Amino acid sequence: MKPTPSEGALAPEAGSSHAPTPIREKIVFHDPCYLGRYRNVYKQPRTVVKRAGELVEAPRNHERSFCCGAGGGLVFLGEETGERIGKVRTAELVATGASVIGTACPFCNSIFRDALAEQGEGAPQLLDIAQLIARGLPVNGAS
């Protein structure tokens, strides 16, 4: 199988001078619907996350992942009964004990940001997958 451009760009060879220095913290990765279920991309984001920290899996992951609540226009609707899907999914991710929630979708980021704001102090940090890698890159040309 030919590697995807993002896999090559975000997961450099081990020992490469461009490989980020991982910050060893627990990161739970949320599988966005369009990346996972529609494109069947699960391995590559996890390769990236493992370079940035310790991967922790959510109870529902890969093909069985749970929607963040933005898909299908749900982000614009209010649930008539029950709890918002985004809050339910955020609670699942927080319950893993990870200090960082990572995803690769701007819609998921928006939903989780709103739900995490209600968690108050001590809520996990929310980062896009590109931010996870950028944190470990050298600053101002330092290695």
Side-chain angles (χ1 to χ4, degrees), residues 38-60:
Y38 296 115
R39 305 275 326 246
N40 200 32
V41 175
Y42 299 103
K43 177 185 170 192
Q44 296 90 334
R46 283 169 172 76
T47 300
V48 171
V49 170
K50 287 176 186 175
R51 291 190 179 272
E54 179 186 340
L55 174 65
V56 176
E57 291 288 2
R60 296 190 255 192

Side-chain angles (χ1 to χ4, degrees), residues 46-112:
R46 283 169 172 76
T47 300
V48 171
V49 170
K50 287 176 186 175
R51 291 190 179 272
E54 179 186 340
L55 174 65
V56 176
E57 291 288 2
R60 296 190 255 192
N61 61 67
H62 288 77
E63 296 87 3
R64 306 281 301 167
S65 186
F66 190 63
C67 180
C68 72
L74 291 176
V75 69
F76 300 109
L77 300 175
E79 276 77 8
E80 298 294 323
T81 61
E83 197 167 11
R84 292 190 66 88
I85 293 171
K87 287 184 182 181
V88 173
R89 181 56 173 169
T90 301
E92 287 181 0
L93 298 172
V94 169
T96 65
S99 59
V100 175
I101 296 173
T103 189
C105 170
F107 297 113
C108 296
N109 270 327
S110 177
I111 293 293
F112 295 148

